[in-house]
Each structure stands twice: as C-alpha cells, then as structure tokens.
Amino acid sequence: MLAFIASKPVCGIEIFYIVHREFNVLLNPGAYGITSLNKLKDETNRSVLKHH
C-alpha cells in the first residue's frame, strides 16, 4: 500500500479503490477506514522520523 501512495499523490477515496482493487478488501469509509488510514499514516511518519 505504501508503494502506491509513494508512487504518486492520491486522495482519500482513491486509496479505498486501490485497496479494493489490489487486495480485494472493502474498507468502510466511516470510522474503521479512516482510523486505519490515519494509523498507517502515523506509523509511517514515526518510521520516517526514526530513520532521519
């Protein structure tokens, strides 16, 4: 998933489409989907900060 995001700018709904198309997973754009994406973003940011 991070490779898709890193390859080009994507909007929120496009991320849901990518997840569905590539991983056959339907994210609920409500609390679960947004919470999951925010968690992924936070984990990525922490990882990047550790390596700098």
Side-chain angles (χ1 to χ4, degrees):
M1 189 66 231
L2 293 177
F4 284 105
I5 295 169
S7 68
K8 68 175 187 157
V10 293
C11 67
I13 195 68
E14 190 173 2
I15 293 171
F16 289 105
Y17 292 141
I18 292 169
V19 169
H20 181 244
R21 184 182 68 230
E22 298 298 323
F23 306 104
N24 199 30
V25 173
L26 286 173
L27 293 176
N28 176 355
Y32 176 77
I34 299 302
T35 300
S36 298
L37 292 174
N38 285 335
K39 182 178 177 186
L40 177 62
K41 180 186 75 170
D42 292 344
E43 289 173 1
T44 303
N45 288 341
R46 280 194 298 274
S47 176
V48 168
L49 291 174
K50 283 182 183 178
H51 291 92
H52 280 77

